[in-house]
């Protein structure tokens, strides 16, 4: 023990000063300097130059020790309530047996201190190399379960962001009510805005080229089966990712009901099966519906007819696909 009046000048200022530096102990360097100040009297009396220096009694005399080895960590842990590591004792057959535990008359198992684990925990918290190269830091993190989980989360977030960007590029164009009004006033200009001629736009708006969820601008030139052949694409899965697809407001009730059916189906199917069969379609349909307001989607749900319900039922059960 060292009397307060015998403390070094720098350490005395720490205890006697005010709240000028509220972040004093948040700096690793300041904590290290404080430790040096605390142990300076011991170093002076023991004649050592180690950061950690302490007196201990041995055979009636006082000696000076230095350093902070594994034995000291074990003693400190046992004295502060850290339980020894319990290991499975093998049974006579060579397999795992009962958990080793001290009984009356037996000594407790030795406390295990894994310095590599302590160092890795510090690196996980800091997230950067400490007194070693970045390659060594990566070696520590490569075997860290917490770091691996965080890495997977970061990678998953980045991939999901890229998927959203890709789907936005290939999203089905939505011809809004405002566009339909412009098409009535100036068909030629409206057709040019969507890359069609006036006749193609007229056929699209008439409904004769509707394919359940969307309308098709080129039924005889499918990217799935090639030009001059009937399109064999799935109305549920392929039309929403086809470059010929266009969505119109009159299809909104069917789109909303299909979206509801896919969402309800997610609770009935195994998650991996649903993701394999419907995840992409559901995501594309969700993105398409964001072009409408909540009120418009709710109104479309109320306007759904029995014929449209039956159409969606045939769509979901595959009765509209070519065999």
């Amino acid at each position: 023990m060292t009397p307060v009046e015998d403390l070094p000048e720098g350490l005395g200022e720490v205890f006697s000063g005010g709240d000028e530096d509220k972040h004093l102990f948040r700096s690793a360097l300041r904590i290290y300097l404080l430790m040096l100040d605390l142990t300076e009297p011991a170093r002076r009396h023991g004649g050592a130059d180690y950061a950690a220096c302490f007196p201990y009694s041995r055979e009636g005399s006082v000696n000076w020790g230095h350093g902070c080895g594994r034995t000291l960590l074990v003693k400190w842990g046992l004295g502060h309530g850290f339980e020894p590591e319990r290991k499975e004792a093998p049974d006579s057959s060579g397999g795992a047996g009962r958990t080793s535990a001290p009984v009356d008359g037996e000594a407790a198992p030795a406390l295990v201190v894994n310095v590599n684990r302590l160092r890795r925990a510090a690196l996980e918290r800091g997230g950067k190399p400490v007194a070693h190269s970045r390659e060594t830091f990566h070696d520590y993190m490569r075997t860290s379960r917490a770091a691996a989980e965080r890495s997977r989360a970061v990678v998953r977030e980045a991939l999901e962001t890229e998927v959203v960007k890709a789907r936005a590029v290939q999203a089905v164009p939505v011809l809004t009510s405002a566009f339909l009004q412009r098409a009535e006033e100036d068909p030629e200009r409206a057709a040019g805005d969507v890359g069609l001629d006036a006749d193609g736009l007229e056929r699209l708006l008439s409904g004769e080229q509707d394919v359940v969820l969307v309308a098709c601008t080129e039924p005889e030139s499918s990217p799935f089966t090639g030009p001059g052949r009937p399109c064999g694409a799935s109305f549920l899965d392929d039309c929403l990712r086809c470059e010929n697809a266009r969505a119109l407001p009159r299809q909104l009730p069917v789109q909303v009901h299909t979206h509801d059916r896919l969402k309800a189906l997610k609770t009935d199917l195994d998650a991996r099966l649903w993701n394999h069969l419907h995840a992409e379609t559901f995501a594309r349909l969700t993105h398409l519906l964001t072009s409408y307001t909540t009120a418009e989607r709710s109104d479309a749900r109320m306007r759904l007819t029995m014929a449209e319900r039956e159409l969606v039922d045939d769509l979901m059960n595959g009765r509209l696909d070519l065999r």
Side-chain angles (χ1 to χ4, degrees), residues 22-299:
K22 296 182 180 179
H23 305 289
L24 174 66
F25 300 112
R26 295 188 181 183
S27 167
L29 176 59
R30 299 297 293 273
I31 292 175
Y32 177 72
L33 294 176
L34 177 60
M35 184 190 71
L36 292 181
D37 281 342
L38 287 170
T39 55
E40 198 277 333
R43 285 196 303 275
R44 186 172 65 247
H45 290 297
D49 56 358
Y50 291 87
C53 187
F54 52 89
Y56 66 93
S57 177
R58 185 175 183 180
E59 297 180 355
S61 62
V62 177
N63 298 285
W64 291 91
H66 53 75
C68 188
R70 174 171 176 168
T71 302
L72 295 176
L73 289 175
V74 170
K75 289 182 178 179
W76 182 91
L78 291 174
H80 288 76
F82 286 89
E83 292 294 329
E85 183 180 27
R86 311 296 182 181
K87 296 185 177 180
E88 294 288 336
D91 57 19
S92 58
S93 62
R98 63 180 180 86
T99 301
S100 61
V103 297
D104 294 339
E106 291 185 2
L111 179 67
V112 176
V113 177
N114 190 319
V115 179
N116 288 334
R117 186 176 299 173
L118 293 174
R119 187 178 184 90
R120 187 171 64 188
L123 296 177
E124 288 175 357
R125 289 191 173 190
K128 58 183 179 181
V130 178
H132 55 255
S133 67
R134 185 164 294 277
E135 290 73 17
T136 303
F137 172 74
H138 290 161
D139 289 340
Y140 275 105
M141 293 298 98
R142 193 174 294 113
T143 58
S144 167
R145 181 179 301 176
E149 292 176 354
R150 290 198 299 269
S151 299
R152 283 194 291 267
V154 171
V155 172
R156 180 174 63 250
E157 182 179 350
L159 291 177
E160 288 176 350
T161 301
E162 295 303 317
V163 169
V164 170
K165 292 179 181 179
R167 286 172 176 163
V169 172
Q170 300 180 2
V172 176
V174 178
L175 308 185
T176 62
S177 300
F179 172 82
L180 298 182
Q181 185 176 356
R182 294 203 314 271
E184 292 181 0
E185 299 171 357
D186 191 349
E188 294 286 345
R189 183 174 180 179
D193 291 342
V194 294
L196 299 173
D197 55 31
D199 293 337
L201 179 61
E202 182 179 358
R203 291 193 301 271
L204 190 73
L205 299 181
S206 67
E208 63 181 81
Q209 296 180 177
D210 282 6
V211 285
V212 189
L213 294 175
V214 292
C216 183
T217 59
E218 296 287 344
E220 298 179 357
S221 181
S222 169
F224 299 100
T225 56
R229 300 175 57 190
C231 181
S234 167
F235 292 138
L236 178 62
D237 299 320
D238 296 329
C239 287
L240 290 173
R241 59 189 181 95
C242 180
E243 60 188 24
N244 295 334
R246 302 291 186 275
L248 295 100
R250 65 169 176 268
Q251 297 150 351
L252 184 57
V254 173
Q255 294 167 354
V256 170
H257 189 54
T258 303
H259 187 269
D260 292 343
R261 289 284 299 272
L262 289 173
K263 186 175 181 179
L265 194 61
K266 188 174 183 179
T267 62
D268 299 331
L269 292 180
D270 176 78
R272 291 174 297 180
L273 179 60
W274 187 91
N275 288 332
H276 176 71
L277 295 176
H278 303 303
E280 181 179 353
T281 300
F282 183 78
R284 290 183 179 278
L285 196 53
T286 301
H287 186 272
L288 189 154
L289 294 178
T290 58
S291 301
Y292 300 93
T293 65
T294 303
E296 289 173 332
R297 295 195 295 269
S298 299
D299 180 68

